[in-house]
Amino acid sequence: MQHFQVNDRCNGCLACVQNCPASALDSVDRGEKRTILHNMARCARCGTCWRICPQDAVEFKHLLESDWDEVATLNLARCKVCGETLYTKDFGEVLSEKLDTKVDSLCPRHREELSRLASVYFFPGKSRMKMGEKR
Amino acid sequence: MIVGDLKPIEEIVSSISDFKKILVVGCGSCVTVCLSGGDKEARELVRELSHTGYYKNDPPDFSHSTIERQCERDFLTSYLEIPKDTEAILSLGCGAGVQTMANTFEPLPVIPALNTTFLGASEEPGVWQEQCRGCGDCVLAFTGGICPVAKCAKSIFNGPCGGSRDGRCEIYTDVPCAWSLIYHRLKKQNNLKFMTEYREPRDWRPGGGLGPRERRRTGINGSPEHSAPYPVERDALEVGT
């Protein structure tokens, strides 16, 4: 998504380039063509370009409201019982490393349920606690 | 940046309770960064103010919007949509934003939700400290980059007062004495000569002593060809030069 956009009234006069207080606009002439350049990292979104353009060509609204940019896409870890999203696999690995233990992909509900089943299995008769019961 | 704090919720409620339909407007600049008046805070404020317990009758109808800067009149007229039948605007902008909106949308009442507190900087995440009073005649070149106007409780200009003890301020003992900080900074810079140099008494007129300040830049669309000499004299402004 290009944030700085001009409509077809732009005639390349460079009023915006010359008046941008943040030096976020530039132009390059190559062969028979002039290209207007914009650098979002420099842009202060001050609106000077929009105010000063004699052609009313700067579509400033794109600098105020725009779509989301995709930044990164990572693999998710889900609960192995119910499939609920937990965290990313990379995050799980870092967590395992920091805790120095293998972190099971389980949501809190199924982690508790499996712990209860394990106690019933290993200590029969001692643990009859059900989910939601207090000790 | 300009740092602001949300007013007590009871104060906000009492200033809006006569209205039925209110637009809550966040500001996308300074107060967004200092976590007091951005889009997130505007949404949270709407959620909080919608609780029926605050009102004798039904709570007002709220909508919310955030604009990049409330202090730019043409941003407001071009990009802030005011829903039909809005009876008041509750602004999370600084004092400049509130006043620009009040001037732009007159006679619609514009109510501040923030107290504008100071010009500051963030020393660590979540902490902002006052750095500047906008006094109009910066002395940081002689004070090691530490402002005696903003950081001395008495805004003393020519060295510490008699109450400075062990580098602490006598008024607020939990804060350092600004002049102690200045002395040690200048010493590190081998610039202690600035402490003994004679300086003329300060002219406070550029600091607001002449009334509301205005600056005009040349060459900008609609601005005069020649700017007024610095500092802008009040009588010069009055005759429109």
Side-chain angles (χ1 to χ4, degrees), chain B residues 79-99:
Chain B
Y79 296 112
L80 183 66
E81 263 183 50
I82 299 186
K84 196 169 169 271
D85 300 328
T86 296
E87 292 182 0
I89 293 175
L90 181 62
S91 162
L92 284 104
C94 69
V98 172
Q99 291 181 66

Side-chain angles (χ1 to χ4, degrees), chain B residues 167-188:
Chain B
R168 315 301 295 177
C169 171
E170 71 166 343
I171 296 178
Y172 308 107
T173 48
D174 55 340
V175 299
C177 164
W179 276 101
S180 174
L181 294 175
I182 291 168
Y183 172 81
H184 289 292
R185 173 76 56 81
L186 289 176
K187 194 174 177 187
K188 279 184 199 164

